[in-house]
Amino acid sequence: MGLVQAVKGAVGGVLADQWKDFYTVPTGLPSTAALFAAVPHGTNAGRGSNTHGSSNIISNGSKIVVPEGYGLLLFQDGAITAFVAEAGGYEWRSDDLNSQSIFAGDGVVSTFIKQSWERFKFGGQPGSQQAAFFVSLKELPDNRFGTQSEIYWDDGFLNTQVGAVTRGSYTLKIVDPILFVKNFVPASYLQPGQVFDFTDLDNAAATQLFNEVVGSLAPAFSLYTNDPSKGNRITKLQQDSIGFAQSLSAAVEQAYQWQSDRGLAIVKTAIVSIEYDANTRELLKTVQRADALSGSRGNSNLQASVAQGIQSAGENGGAAGLVGVGMASGMFGAGNLQQPATPAADDPVAKLKKAKEMLDLGLITQGDYDALKAKALGL
C-alpha cells in the first residue's frame, strides 16, 4: 500500500492533460523555503491553474506531481509512511500490492534515505488518507553568520593565537529529509499553510542553527589554517569558499552532529569580511615583510635596501655610518651581495700601485716612492 509511479522524470503537458487535478508544490515560494505542505492543482478547459489550495490531505487515487529538486513526504498520525526523491508523477493507492513506500532514486540522498527509512518506517497499515509535504533537495542560500566581538583560534602558520570579527553566508542542503523532519522540524510547521524557512527571523529552530554556526567558526578557522593541504594561510579563507565550507561543516558536525542527527550539511560559504584584531594585524605585516624578502625578489629588495642605507649613511654619518651599514648588511644576510674587491694588506703589487698613485698625485716625493718600493720588494 503506497505510491505507484505513473511517469518518471520531467512532467510535461501530456500528463497535465490526463491529470486534471493533482497535488504539487505551491507557487511563489522563496528560494530559501525548506519544508511546506503540498497543495491541490486544479485545471480547467483553458489549462488554467489554481495552486493556492490549503488542504494537503490525499486519499485513495490521489495524484501527485513531484518537480525536480524536491522530495515528497507522506504522513499518517505523525508517522512517515512514504518518501519520494525522484521527479515524476505518482498515484496514491491504499489497496495496490504493487505500490511502494519509498522512491529514493540514485541521487546523493538515496543512501541516507534508505538507512533512515529502515530506522523510522511506519510499522502499521497505511490508511486511505495521508498528509503530503514537500521538502527542498536544492542548495538553500542566504544563511547568514556573523560575530559581534572577536573570536580566537590557534593559527598553524603564525604559530600563535589570532583573533578577528567576521561575517558571511553559507548554503545549506537537506541530505536526509527523514532525519530532518523527525529530529529537527517543530511540529507546528507540519500544518497546511506553514513554510519552514531557514532565513525566517521568527523561526526559533533556524536561530538555533545560526548560534551553532557562530559557535563553530573558531574551530573551523583552526581546522582550515592547520591543514597543510590548504597552505596554512588565513589570508586564503576568503578565496577558498569550498575549502572553508568543508572545515566549517566538519566543525559543526563534530560539535552538533548536523548531518548524522538532523540530515543537514553546509555546502558552500562566502566570507564577506574579516577584521583582525590589532595583534594579528601586526603579525600579518611581519609575514608580508618576510614574504617580500624571500627568493629572488627578496634579494633584489635587500640590495636596494642596502644601497639606500649606504647612501643615507654617506650623507649623514660619514665613514662611521658606512661602517655601520656594513655591519648591518652582514647581520641581515647581505653577504651574498656583490662587494667591491679590496687589495690584500700584504700584496706587494698592490702596495706599489698605491704608492705610484700617491707619487703621481704629488703626495710623496720620488725618494719616498723609492723607499716604499724597496721595502715592498724586500730589497
Side-chain angles (χ1 to χ4, degrees), residues 80-103:
I80 296 174
T81 60
F83 176 76
V84 174
E86 298 180 49
Y90 298 84
E91 185 175 344
W92 169 256
R93 297 178 185 172
S94 62
D95 54 354
D96 191 331
L97 296 178
N98 295 319
S99 62
Q100 300 181 41
S101 296
I102 181 171
F103 292 86

PDB file of all heavy atoms in Angstrom, residues 80-103:
ATOM      1  N   ILE A  80       5.871   8.863   9.278  1.00  0.00           N
ATOM      2  CA  ILE A  80       6.166   8.930   7.852  1.00  0.00           C
ATOM      3  C   ILE A  80       5.792   7.603   7.198  1.00  0.00           C
ATOM      4  O   ILE A  80       6.257   6.532   7.617  1.00  0.00           O
ATOM      5  CB  ILE A  80       7.651   9.243   7.617  1.00  0.00           C
ATOM      6  CG1 ILE A  80       7.997  10.629   8.173  1.00  0.00           C
ATOM      7  CG2 ILE A  80       7.994   9.191   6.130  1.00  0.00           C
ATOM      8  CD1 ILE A  80       9.469  10.973   8.118  1.00  0.00           C
ATOM      9  N   THR A  81       4.953   7.656   6.188  1.00  0.00           N
ATOM     10  CA  THR A  81       4.505   6.441   5.504  1.00  0.00           C
ATOM     11  C   THR A  81       5.116   6.267   4.121  1.00  0.00           C
ATOM     12  O   THR A  81       5.074   5.159   3.577  1.00  0.00           O
ATOM     13  CB  THR A  81       2.969   6.443   5.372  1.00  0.00           C
ATOM     14  OG1 THR A  81       2.579   7.598   4.607  1.00  0.00           O
ATOM     15  CG2 THR A  81       2.312   6.482   6.735  1.00  0.00           C
ATOM     16  N   ALA A  82       5.663   7.319   3.529  1.00  0.00           N
ATOM     17  CA  ALA A  82       6.254   7.199   2.198  1.00  0.00           C
ATOM     18  C   ALA A  82       7.186   8.369   1.946  1.00  0.00           C
ATOM     19  O   ALA A  82       7.026   9.453   2.529  1.00  0.00           O
ATOM     20  CB  ALA A  82       5.175   7.149   1.117  1.00  0.00           C
ATOM     21  N   PHE A  83       8.159   8.132   1.066  1.00  0.00           N
ATOM     22  CA  PHE A  83       9.075   9.200   0.656  1.00  0.00           C
ATOM     23  C   PHE A  83       9.433   9.020  -0.812  1.00  0.00           C
ATOM     24  O   PHE A  83       9.667   7.898  -1.281  1.00  0.00           O
ATOM     25  CB  PHE A  83      10.354   9.205   1.487  1.00  0.00           C
ATOM     26  CG  PHE A  83      11.341  10.227   1.011  1.00  0.00           C
ATOM     27  CD1 PHE A  83      11.155  11.568   1.302  1.00  0.00           C
ATOM     28  CD2 PHE A  83      12.425   9.867   0.229  1.00  0.00           C
ATOM     29  CE1 PHE A  83      12.035  12.530   0.834  1.00  0.00           C
ATOM     30  CE2 PHE A  83      13.319  10.815  -0.238  1.00  0.00           C
ATOM     31  CZ  PHE A  83      13.121  12.154   0.062  1.00  0.00           C
ATOM     32  N   VAL A  84       9.518  10.151  -1.535  1.00  0.00           N
ATOM     33  CA  VAL A  84       9.873  10.160  -2.954  1.00  0.00           C
ATOM     34  C   VAL A  84      10.974  11.194  -3.178  1.00  0.00           C
ATOM     35  O   VAL A  84      10.830  12.349  -2.760  1.00  0.00           O
ATOM     36  CB  VAL A  84       8.654  10.495  -3.835  1.00  0.00           C
ATOM     37  CG1 VAL A  84       9.087  10.648  -5.291  1.00  0.00           C
ATOM     38  CG2 VAL A  84       7.596   9.417  -3.702  1.00  0.00           C
ATOM     39  N   ALA A  85      12.063  10.772  -3.838  1.00  0.00           N
ATOM     40  CA  ALA A  85      13.121  11.709  -4.209  1.00  0.00           C
ATOM     41  C   ALA A  85      13.308  11.765  -5.718  1.00  0.00           C
ATOM     42  O   ALA A  85      14.198  12.462  -6.198  1.00  0.00           O
ATOM     43  CB  ALA A  85      14.432  11.310  -3.540  1.00  0.00           C
ATOM     44  N   GLU A  86      12.496  11.029  -6.469  1.00  0.00           N
ATOM     45  CA  GLU A  86      12.580  11.017  -7.926  1.00  0.00           C
ATOM     46  C   GLU A  86      11.474  11.886  -8.504  1.00  0.00           C
ATOM     47  O   GLU A  86      10.298  11.726  -8.167  1.00  0.00           O
ATOM     48  CB  GLU A  86      12.423   9.591  -8.459  1.00  0.00           C
ATOM     49  CG  GLU A  86      13.489   8.625  -7.995  1.00  0.00           C
ATOM     50  CD  GLU A  86      13.266   7.231  -8.562  1.00  0.00           C
ATOM     51  OE1 GLU A  86      13.061   7.128  -9.786  1.00  0.00           O
ATOM     52  OE2 GLU A  86      13.276   6.266  -7.784  1.00  0.00           O
ATOM     53  N   ALA A  87      11.869  12.804  -9.383  1.00  0.00           N
ATOM     54  CA  ALA A  87      10.866  13.658 -10.031  1.00  0.00           C
ATOM     55  C   ALA A  87       9.955  12.813 -10.911  1.00  0.00           C
ATOM     56  O   ALA A  87      10.374  11.843 -11.535  1.00  0.00           O
ATOM     57  CB  ALA A  87      11.567  14.721 -10.872  1.00  0.00           C
ATOM     58  N   GLY A  88       8.674  13.200 -10.947  1.00  0.00           N
ATOM     59  CA  GLY A  88       7.724  12.479 -11.791  1.00  0.00           C
ATOM     60  C   GLY A  88       6.311  12.559 -11.244  1.00  0.00           C
ATOM     61  O   GLY A  88       6.018  13.322 -10.308  1.00  0.00           O
ATOM     62  N   GLY A  89       5.419  11.780 -11.840  1.00  0.00           N
ATOM     63  CA  GLY A  89       4.026  11.734 -11.412  1.00  0.00           C
ATOM     64  C   GLY A  89       3.726  10.440 -10.669  1.00  0.00           C
ATOM     65  O   GLY A  89       4.179   9.357 -11.063  1.00  0.00           O
ATOM     66  N   TYR A  90       2.962  10.533  -9.573  1.00  0.00           N
ATOM     67  CA  TYR A  90       2.663   9.387  -8.722  1.00  0.00           C
ATOM     68  C   TYR A  90       1.177   9.358  -8.385  1.00  0.00           C
ATOM     69  O   TYR A  90       0.497  10.393  -8.382  1.00  0.00           O
ATOM     70  CB  TYR A  90       3.484   9.440  -7.426  1.00  0.00           C
ATOM     71  CG  TYR A  90       4.974   9.374  -7.654  1.00  0.00           C
ATOM     72  CD1 TYR A  90       5.700  10.529  -7.970  1.00  0.00           C
ATOM     73  CD2 TYR A  90       5.654   8.168  -7.583  1.00  0.00           C
ATOM     74  CE1 TYR A  90       7.065  10.469  -8.200  1.00  0.00           C
ATOM     75  CE2 TYR A  90       7.025   8.110  -7.818  1.00  0.00           C
ATOM     76  CZ  TYR A  90       7.721   9.258  -8.124  1.00  0.00           C
ATOM     77  OH  TYR A  90       9.062   9.201  -8.358  1.00  0.00           O
ATOM     78  N   GLU A  91       0.689   8.165  -8.082  1.00  0.00           N
ATOM     79  CA  GLU A  91      -0.699   7.993  -7.648  1.00  0.00           C
ATOM     80  C   GLU A  91      -0.706   7.202  -6.347  1.00  0.00           C
ATOM     81  O   GLU A  91      -0.017   6.177  -6.219  1.00  0.00           O
ATOM     82  CB  GLU A  91      -1.507   7.262  -8.714  1.00  0.00           C
ATOM     83  CG  GLU A  91      -2.993   7.147  -8.372  1.00  0.00           C
ATOM     84  CD  GLU A  91      -3.824   6.526  -9.489  1.00  0.00           C
ATOM     85  OE1 GLU A  91      -3.317   6.468 -10.633  1.00  0.00           O
ATOM     86  OE2 GLU A  91      -4.965   6.101  -9.203  1.00  0.00           O
ATOM     87  N   TRP A  92      -1.478   7.704  -5.379  1.00  0.00           N
ATOM     88  CA  TRP A  92      -1.584   7.019  -4.091  1.00  0.00           C
ATOM     89  C   TRP A  92      -2.687   5.969  -4.168  1.00  0.00           C
ATOM     90  O   TRP A  92      -3.831   6.259  -4.497  1.00  0.00           O
ATOM     91  CB  TRP A  92      -1.889   8.021  -2.975  1.00  0.00           C
ATOM     92  CG  TRP A  92      -2.272   7.343  -1.681  1.00  0.00           C
ATOM     93  CD1 TRP A  92      -3.513   7.215  -1.149  1.00  0.00           C
ATOM     94  CD2 TRP A  92      -1.387   6.691  -0.773  1.00  0.00           C
ATOM     95  NE1 TRP A  92      -3.469   6.527   0.032  1.00  0.00           N
ATOM     96  CE2 TRP A  92      -2.168   6.186   0.292  1.00  0.00           C
ATOM     97  CE3 TRP A  92      -0.005   6.476  -0.756  1.00  0.00           C
ATOM     98  CZ2 TRP A  92      -1.627   5.491   1.369  1.00  0.00           C
ATOM     99  CZ3 TRP A  92       0.536   5.772   0.314  1.00  0.00           C
ATOM    100  CH2 TRP A  92      -0.266   5.298   1.364  1.00  0.00           C
ATOM    101  N   ARG A  93      -2.290   4.725  -3.868  1.00  0.00           N
ATOM    102  CA  ARG A  93      -3.249   3.616  -3.888  1.00  0.00           C
ATOM    103  C   ARG A  93      -3.084   2.808  -2.605  1.00  0.00           C
ATOM    104  O   ARG A  93      -2.069   2.151  -2.405  1.00  0.00           O
ATOM    105  CB  ARG A  93      -3.023   2.716  -5.107  1.00  0.00           C
ATOM    106  CG  ARG A  93      -3.238   3.406  -6.448  1.00  0.00           C
ATOM    107  CD  ARG A  93      -2.957   2.480  -7.606  1.00  0.00           C
ATOM    108  NE  ARG A  93      -3.054   3.166  -8.895  1.00  0.00           N
ATOM    109  CZ  ARG A  93      -2.709   2.603 -10.053  1.00  0.00           C
ATOM    110  NH1 ARG A  93      -2.274   1.339 -10.079  1.00  0.00           N
ATOM    111  NH2 ARG A  93      -2.821   3.286 -11.176  1.00  0.00           N
ATOM    112  N   SER A  94      -4.081   2.862  -1.790  1.00  0.00           N
ATOM    113  CA  SER A  94      -4.003   2.192  -0.493  1.00  0.00           C
ATOM    114  C   SER A  94      -4.238   0.689  -0.588  1.00  0.00           C
ATOM    115  O   SER A  94      -3.956  -0.040   0.362  1.00  0.00           O
ATOM    116  CB  SER A  94      -5.023   2.810   0.470  1.00  0.00           C
ATOM    117  OG  SER A  94      -6.337   2.625  -0.016  1.00  0.00           O
ATOM    118  N   ASP A  95      -4.767   0.225  -1.739  1.00  0.00           N
ATOM    119  CA  ASP A  95      -5.110  -1.192  -1.842  1.00  0.00           C
ATOM    120  C   ASP A  95      -4.328  -1.914  -2.933  1.00  0.00           C
ATOM    121  O   ASP A  95      -4.687  -3.023  -3.329  1.00  0.00           O
ATOM    122  CB  ASP A  95      -6.610  -1.343  -2.116  1.00  0.00           C
ATOM    123  CG  ASP A  95      -7.050  -0.547  -3.341  1.00  0.00           C
ATOM    124  OD1 ASP A  95      -6.209   0.186  -3.879  1.00  0.00           O
ATOM    125  OD2 ASP A  95      -8.221  -0.656  -3.726  1.00  0.00           O
ATOM    126  N   ASP A  96      -3.240  -1.306  -3.435  1.00  0.00           N
ATOM    127  CA  ASP A  96      -2.465  -1.915  -4.511  1.00  0.00           C
ATOM    128  C   ASP A  96      -1.226  -2.579  -3.929  1.00  0.00           C
ATOM    129  O   ASP A  96      -0.364  -1.934  -3.341  1.00  0.00           O
ATOM    130  CB  ASP A  96      -2.058  -0.841  -5.533  1.00  0.00           C
ATOM    131  CG  ASP A  96      -1.494  -1.444  -6.809  1.00  0.00           C
ATOM    132  OD1 ASP A  96      -0.915  -2.551  -6.734  1.00  0.00           O
ATOM    133  OD2 ASP A  96      -1.620  -0.803  -7.865  1.00  0.00           O
ATOM    134  N   LEU A  97      -1.122  -3.902  -4.103  1.00  0.00           N
ATOM    135  CA  LEU A  97       0.005  -4.635  -3.549  1.00  0.00           C
ATOM    136  C   LEU A  97       1.322  -4.282  -4.238  1.00  0.00           C
ATOM    137  O   LEU A  97       2.401  -4.544  -3.715  1.00  0.00           O
ATOM    138  CB  LEU A  97      -0.246  -6.139  -3.658  1.00  0.00           C
ATOM    139  CG  LEU A  97      -1.430  -6.677  -2.841  1.00  0.00           C
ATOM    140  CD1 LEU A  97      -1.594  -8.177  -3.083  1.00  0.00           C
ATOM    141  CD2 LEU A  97      -1.240  -6.399  -1.362  1.00  0.00           C
ATOM    142  N   ASN A  98       1.236  -3.720  -5.454  1.00  0.00           N
ATOM    143  CA  ASN A  98       2.432  -3.356  -6.200  1.00  0.00           C
ATOM    144  C   ASN A  98       2.930  -1.941  -5.897  1.00  0.00           C
ATOM    145  O   ASN A  98       3.944  -1.514  -6.436  1.00  0.00           O
ATOM    146  CB  ASN A  98       2.175  -3.468  -7.701  1.00  0.00           C
ATOM    147  CG  ASN A  98       1.905  -4.906  -8.124  1.00  0.00           C
ATOM    148  OD1 ASN A  98       2.566  -5.825  -7.646  1.00  0.00           O
ATOM    149  ND2 ASN A  98       0.919  -5.093  -8.995  1.00  0.00           N
ATOM    150  N   SER A  99       2.201  -1.226  -5.072  1.00  0.00           N
ATOM    151  CA  SER A  99       2.624   0.128  -4.734  1.00  0.00           C
ATOM    152  C   SER A  99       3.835   0.077  -3.801  1.00  0.00           C
ATOM    153  O   SER A  99       4.108  -0.928  -3.141  1.00  0.00           O
ATOM    154  CB  SER A  99       1.478   0.904  -4.084  1.00  0.00           C
ATOM    155  OG  SER A  99       1.095   0.282  -2.870  1.00  0.00           O
ATOM    156  N   GLN A 100       4.564   1.203  -3.751  1.00  0.00           N
ATOM    157  CA  GLN A 100       5.772   1.273  -2.940  1.00  0.00           C
ATOM    158  C   GLN A 100       5.693   2.435  -1.964  1.00  0.00           C
ATOM    159  O   GLN A 100       4.924   3.377  -2.152  1.00  0.00           O
ATOM    160  CB  GLN A 100       7.011   1.443  -3.828  1.00  0.00           C
ATOM    161  CG  GLN A 100       7.224   0.316  -4.832  1.00  0.00           C
ATOM    162  CD  GLN A 100       8.471   0.546  -5.653  1.00  0.00           C
ATOM    163  OE1 GLN A 100       9.503   0.966  -5.135  1.00  0.00           O
ATOM    164  NE2 GLN A 100       8.387   0.260  -6.943  1.00  0.00           N
ATOM    165  N   SER A 101       6.531   2.332  -0.956  1.00  0.00           N
ATOM    166  CA  SER A 101       6.556   3.396   0.057  1.00  0.00           C
ATOM    167  C   SER A 101       7.740   4.331  -0.111  1.00  0.00           C
ATOM    168  O   SER A 101       7.757   5.409   0.470  1.00  0.00           O
ATOM    169  CB  SER A 101       6.588   2.789   1.465  1.00  0.00           C
ATOM    170  OG  SER A 101       5.408   2.061   1.726  1.00  0.00           O
ATOM    171  N   ILE A 102       8.746   3.914  -0.871  1.00  0.00           N
ATOM    172  CA  ILE A 102       9.931   4.747  -0.999  1.00  0.00           C
ATOM    173  C   ILE A 102      10.461   4.702  -2.425  1.00  0.00           C
ATOM    174  O   ILE A 102      10.550   3.639  -3.033  1.00  0.00           O
ATOM    175  CB  ILE A 102      11.030   4.303   0.009  1.00  0.00           C
ATOM    176  CG1 ILE A 102      12.272   5.205  -0.112  1.00  0.00           C
ATOM    177  CG2 ILE A 102      11.394   2.850  -0.177  1.00  0.00           C
ATOM    178  CD1 ILE A 102      13.291   4.975   0.988  1.00  0.00           C
ATOM    179  N   PHE A 103      10.781   5.904  -2.954  1.00  0.00           N
ATOM    180  CA  PHE A 103      11.428   6.052  -4.257  1.00  0.00           C
ATOM    181  C   PHE A 103      12.647   6.961  -4.031  1.00  0.00           C
ATOM    182  O   PHE A 103      12.547   8.172  -4.138  1.00  0.00           O
ATOM    183  CB  PHE A 103      10.473   6.684  -5.282  1.00  0.00           C
ATOM    184  CG  PHE A 103       9.316   5.801  -5.656  1.00  0.00           C
ATOM    185  CD1 PHE A 103       8.160   5.792  -4.894  1.00  0.00           C
ATOM    186  CD2 PHE A 103       9.376   4.990  -6.788  1.00  0.00           C
ATOM    187  CE1 PHE A 103       7.078   4.992  -5.236  1.00  0.00           C
ATOM    188  CE2 PHE A 103       8.297   4.184  -7.141  1.00  0.00           C
ATOM    189  CZ  PHE A 103       7.148   4.175  -6.363  1.00  0.00           C
TER     190      PHE A 103
END
